Amino acid sequence: MPANGNSLDIRDEVAQGFEDIFGSPPAGIWSAPGRVNLIGEHTDYNQGFVLPFAINRRTVVALGPRDDGILRVASAFADEVAEISLADLTPDRLQDWSAYPLGVAWALGQFGADLAAVPGVDLYIESTVPVGAGLSSSAAIESAVAVALNDVWRLGLDRPTLARVGQLAENKAVGAPTGIMDQSASLLGTPDHAVFLDCRSLQSELVELGFTRAGLELLVIDTDVSHDHATGGYAERRASCEMGAMLMGVPALRDLGIVDLPRAREVLDHETYRRVRHVITENQRVLDTVRLLRSEGPLAIGELLDTSHVSLRDDFEISVPELDLAVETAQANGAIGARMTGGGFGGAAIALVPTDGISRLQVALDGAFAEHGFSQPTTFTVVASGGAGRN
Ligand code: ADP
Ligand code: MG
């Protein structure tokens, strides 16, 4: 497989799509990957630790400059072409899917781009990242557009800053109160490594995964139950965490450890306590996973993945029956560990599986989902891949 994974497969298609819509070939093609979060769920906005990796599913952006101040954006995902003048670019004027790419253009202005001086652009977008599956098609589109505009507008922003640009677009233009994890993975990923990110300092280290050498593959099980982080549960969980931190007298849950659990149990109501316990124990699991990957390799991390799922299901209460079934079926059919991944309320689970057990597990999943009357999951393996860039 080429280093860029599936993006190479759709590059020609994207260039053609651009030409069909805008009438001339693009000036360049940029892309950014989706991500799988190996472990560290709902820890990012608590200023804790995460361990995601970029996957070989990418969002590809074809770009052509314009000689006026207009931004036009089209996607294979949607029928209409969205258009706005750079002079009118404010978060409240952006809506639907185009709030992601146009929000990035606005956010670049917040990070120093002079939007009155840069030229307009036409953008056309296609993706092999499943949308709304918890693999962060949102960060993939943001990061692809961010690197493209950073190049053509010659902004010279570094990758950690571009991650903050994407997050600002998602928070303010889309209205989803998500953390910095997804954009960091999409921008900082490298083949066969996870990005160990401290979401307070924003310092990151690459951690070798070594799945192939250990005879393992990472199977994504997309339940087809879609989620929406701009509404409901995600924001509610975030508010609980903020309340828990305030009542415990710390700036963020990151500042609490396992030793603080007895006091948390006394101070907090039972629901908030369980939310807080998830975050505290999940941060510890990320640290333990990094240590085990470095000392013993991926065969040693299965139990941490399993425990993470239990914590998300029982303490954080963001799993759904389809995700639980995917995880349980994987565990009963040879996976060394499995958990839901992403923000929850739907989306995908991941299972770390010996390579020769993948097809048996896929059959078992199909059977189990049919038996429960759930629609068939989509399953595919992913490999840790390179981050956003040109081509
Ligand atoms: P996830 O990040 O888990 O895939 P989100 O709800 O965070 O799910 O982001 C999905 C949304 O991002 C879509 O509903 C759409 O608005 C936008 N989006 C993602 N990829 C594309 C794309 N290729 N073209 C247009 N919009 C996209
Ligand atoms: Mg998302």
Side-chain angles (χ1 to χ4, degrees):
M1 174 148 339
N4 250 356
N6 293 354
S7 74
L8 294 181
D9 302 340
I10 61 169
R11 264 181 51 190
D12 288 347
E13 222 172 288
V14 176
Q16 189 58 54
F18 181 97
E19 194 167 347
D20 290 347
I21 290 171
F22 297 119
S24 57
I29 306 263
W30 285 259
S31 72
R35 63 97 189 94
V36 153
N37 189 19
L38 187 59
I39 197 159
E41 218 64 82
H42 286 261
T43 45
D44 62 351
Y45 57 77
N46 289 300
Q47 299 187 15
F49 304 107
V50 292
L51 191 63
F53 63 87
I55 59 174
N56 53 328
R57 297 264 179 153
R58 298 178 81 91
T59 295
V60 183
V61 173
L63 179 150
R66 301 170 58 89
D67 55 12
D68 57 13
I70 303 286
L71 300 175
R72 288 194 298 178
V73 53
S75 166
F77 175 95
D79 292 330
E80 85 281 20
V81 179
E83 177 173 332
I84 193 164
S85 147
L86 275 160
D88 293 336
L89 200 54
T90 52
D92 53 304
R93 293 197 193 196
L94 304 177
Q95 52 186 326
D96 302 329
W97 69 271
S98 67
Y100 292 83
L102 296 175
V104 166
W106 165 79
L108 285 167
Q110 303 298 300
F111 279 85
D114 181 358
L115 297 185
V118 295
V121 293
D122 289 330
L123 299 167
Y124 175 71
I125 298 161
E126 275 195 35
S127 184
T128 57
V129 186
V131 167
L135 302 180
S136 208
S137 68
S138 54
I141 188 171
E142 290 152 9
S143 304
V145 172
V147 286
L149 293 178
N150 188 48
D151 279 358
V152 295
W153 287 348
R154 299 182 194 285
L155 302 176
L157 298 174
D158 64 14
R159 278 160 189 266
T161 306
L162 292 178
R164 291 169 62 208
V165 165
Q167 185 195 12
L168 185 66
E170 188 149 343
N171 290 169
K172 295 287 191 279
V174 176
T178 45
I180 190 77
M181 167 172 72
D182 298 350
Q183 296 81 3
S184 301
S186 185
L187 284 151
L188 301 174
T190 65
D192 199 29
H193 287 76
V195 179
F196 171 39
L197 178 71
D198 177 334
C199 298
R200 170 168 280 166
S201 68
L202 298 186
Q203 301 252 313
S204 62
E205 285 171 34
L206 294 169
V207 179
E208 191 179 351
L209 290 167
F211 292 161
T212 312
R213 204 169 347 113
L216 296 172
E217 293 209 49
L218 202 291
L219 186 71
V220 172
I221 307 154
D222 178 1
T223 61
D224 205 29
V225 180
S226 71
H227 64 79
D228 180 357
H229 293 333
T231 56
Y234 188 101
E236 225 172 78
R237 295 303 182 280
R238 188 168 177 157
S240 283
C241 290
E242 277 159 17
M243 157 107 90
M246 194 190 70
L247 293 171
M248 289 294 287
V250 289
L253 293 183
R254 151 70 178 275
D255 297 300
L256 300 175
I258 304 288
V259 292
D260 296 300
L261 283 173
R263 185 167 67 90
R265 191 192 284 270
E266 275 174 28
V267 171
L268 305 173
D269 67 85
H270 192 58
E271 185 182 281
T272 311
Y273 170 65
R274 286 184 297 121
R275 306 294 188 246
V276 167
R277 180 166 63 181
H278 164 70
V279 175
I280 291 176
T281 57
E282 185 79 352
N283 271 326
Q284 187 59 48
R285 280 186 289 272
V286 176
L287 299 175
D288 292 345
T289 304
V290 170
R291 182 174 45 78
L292 284 175
L293 279 172
R294 285 177 168 158
S295 60
E296 294 177 40
L299 285 163
I301 68 168
E303 198 182 323
L304 289 164
L305 301 181
D306 294 344
T307 320
S308 171
H309 185 78
V310 170
S311 180
L312 288 159
R313 183 191 67 198
D314 297 346
D315 272 358
F316 221 58
E317 294 184 283
I318 59 167
S319 189
V320 294
E322 289 84 347
L323 286 169
D324 293 338
L325 182 65
V327 166
E328 283 154 25
T329 306
Q331 288 162 341
N333 287 276
I336 67 149
R339 59 183 288 275
M340 53 155 282
T341 188
F345 306 102
I350 53 171
L352 197 51
V353 188
T355 304
D356 59 9
I358 291 280
S359 16
R360 179 168 76 97
L361 173 53
Q362 285 173 313
V363 171
L365 285 162
D366 284 350
F369 272 63
E371 204 175 295
H372 283 74
F374 297 153
S375 66
Q376 290 289 287
T378 309
T379 58
F380 51 90
T381 58
V382 291
V383 294
S385 303
R390 188 155 189 168
N391 283 334

